[in-house]
Amino acid sequence: MESLKDRIVFITGATEGIGKACAIAFAKEGAKLVLTARRINVLNDIAENIRNKFNAEVHAVKMDVQNFDEVSWTINSLPEEWKNIDILLNNAGLARGFNKIHEDDKENWDSMIDTNIKGLLYVTKEIVKGMNARNYGHVINIGSTAGHMSYSGGGVYCATKFAVRAITDALRLDVLSKQIRVSSVDPGAVETNFSNIRFDGDTGKAKNVYRGMTPLNGDDIAEAVIFCATRPPHANINEMIITPTVQANSFFVHREE
């Protein structure tokens, strides 16, 4: 295992769910954290809790991945001691709505595309430039089983996750001559605030997604991310797909009624 002690880890979407769980998991390993999200008050509380509980160094900064100028300024204005980012965790992502394409709202599409594709590209571009110059780094993208199999009602969300998969593969080729690893962790059903956002706060619909099953949780995905990050330098986990035991793919889930 490669030690993560004093490695600088940059995490997007760190205020809840997988992002928050990963921040805690990296802190337990002794890493230094740059945590970003839009809700700075929530982010500051999480950062302070991690500092106190794990004696970790944490730099929290407000950043909206949808805004390229803000992303570029945030990354390039980091204090000198935080600039040499070792690991980028592209976690920020969302789904909006569950409608057929011809019945959906353009605003939902824009939100998903701007966050899941363009946001990931913006952050990756600015951070990988530094990794490339230093000839070292690791990019870990949070994908989805939706990037392997489309389903009705999720056409655009699936398209964004197929895009994450394509970007991950292409980036791995782009940096092949450098000591930069590129990985993707692609979960199935994970019970976080994801479904509440997707269904615009309708908790009934959100809970129904996980009805009759034991879904994954943020800690499950964080363990997978840490596994990717702690492989020896000569080894790279290209892709990891994780589902609940009762979920075979996006279509087939066994539910106890």
Side-chain angles (χ1 to χ4, degrees), residues 157-168:
Y157 175 68
C158 292
T160 67
K161 289 303 183 177
F162 268 87
V164 169
R165 188 177 166 198
I167 292 164
T168 302

Side-chain angles (χ1 to χ4, degrees), residues 141-145 148 165 184-188 239-243:
N141 293 328
I142 300 297
S144 171
T145 53
H148 297 262
R165 188 177 166 198
S184 178
V185 176
D186 300 352
E239 180 180 271
M240 187 183 295
I241 301 174
I242 311 169
T243 64

Side-chain angles (χ1 to χ4, degrees), residues 12-59:
T12 65
T15 49
E16 60 189 8
I18 293 171
K20 180 181 176 181
C22 288
I24 292 169
F26 275 112
K28 288 179 180 178
E29 297 292 325
K32 299 177 180 180
L33 307 178
V34 181
L35 304 183
T36 70
R38 290 179 294 182
R39 297 179 294 162
I40 189 61
N41 291 338
V42 176
L43 191 65
N44 283 334
D45 288 344
I46 291 169
E48 188 61 22
N49 181 265
I50 290 174
R51 290 188 194 101
N52 293 336
K53 192 170 183 179
F54 303 106
N55 194 31
E57 294 184 45
V58 185
H59 181 69

Side-chain angles (χ1 to χ4, degrees), residues 71-93:
V71 167
S72 181
W73 183 88
T74 298
I75 293 168
N76 291 295
S77 299
L78 286 170
E80 200 61 38
E81 64 271 23
W82 291 101
K83 284 185 181 294
N84 293 338
I85 296 163
D86 297 294
I87 299 170
L88 164 60
L89 179 62
N90 275 314
N91 167 73

Side-chain angles (χ1 to χ4, degrees), residues 82-214:
W82 291 101
K83 284 185 181 294
N84 293 338
I85 296 163
D86 297 294
I87 299 170
L88 164 60
L89 179 62
N90 275 314
N91 167 73
L94 51 79
R96 293 280 189 192
F98 199 73
N99 303 310
K100 296 178 180 179
I101 289 173
H102 59 283
E103 298 170 346
D104 206 355
D105 297 324
K106 173 184 175 297
E107 290 74 17
N108 288 340
W109 302 347
D110 289 343
S111 181
M112 290 184 283
I113 291 169
D114 288 348
T115 303
N116 300 356
I117 302 177
K118 293 166 68 176
L120 180 143
L121 285 169
Y122 294 162
V123 179
T124 301
K125 172 181 169 62
E126 293 303 301
I127 289 180
V128 170
K129 285 192 296 186
M131 291 180 174
N132 192 68
R134 295 188 299 275
N135 198 39
Y136 180 84
H138 194 171
V139 178
I140 305 175
N141 293 328
I142 300 297
S144 171
T145 53
H148 297 262
M149 179 180 289
S150 300
Y151 52 85
S152 178
V156 176
Y157 175 68
C158 292
T160 67
K161 289 303 183 177
F162 268 87
V164 169
R165 188 177 166 198
I167 292 164
T168 302
D169 289 346
L171 179 63
R172 192 179 299 115
L173 296 171
D174 288 344
V175 298
L176 196 58
S177 65
K178 302 291 184 176
Q179 292 299 308
I180 299 173
R181 298 185 287 185
V182 183
S183 305
S184 178
V185 176
D186 300 352
V190 185
E191 189 168 15
T192 63
N193 199 40
F194 176 88
S195 289
N196 285 324
I197 294 172
R198 178 171 219 166
F199 294 112
D200 200 24
D202 188 325
T203 55
K205 286 184 178 179
K207 287 184 178 298
N208 192 56
V209 173
Y210 313 110
R211 173 183 52 82
M213 65 180 292
T214 301

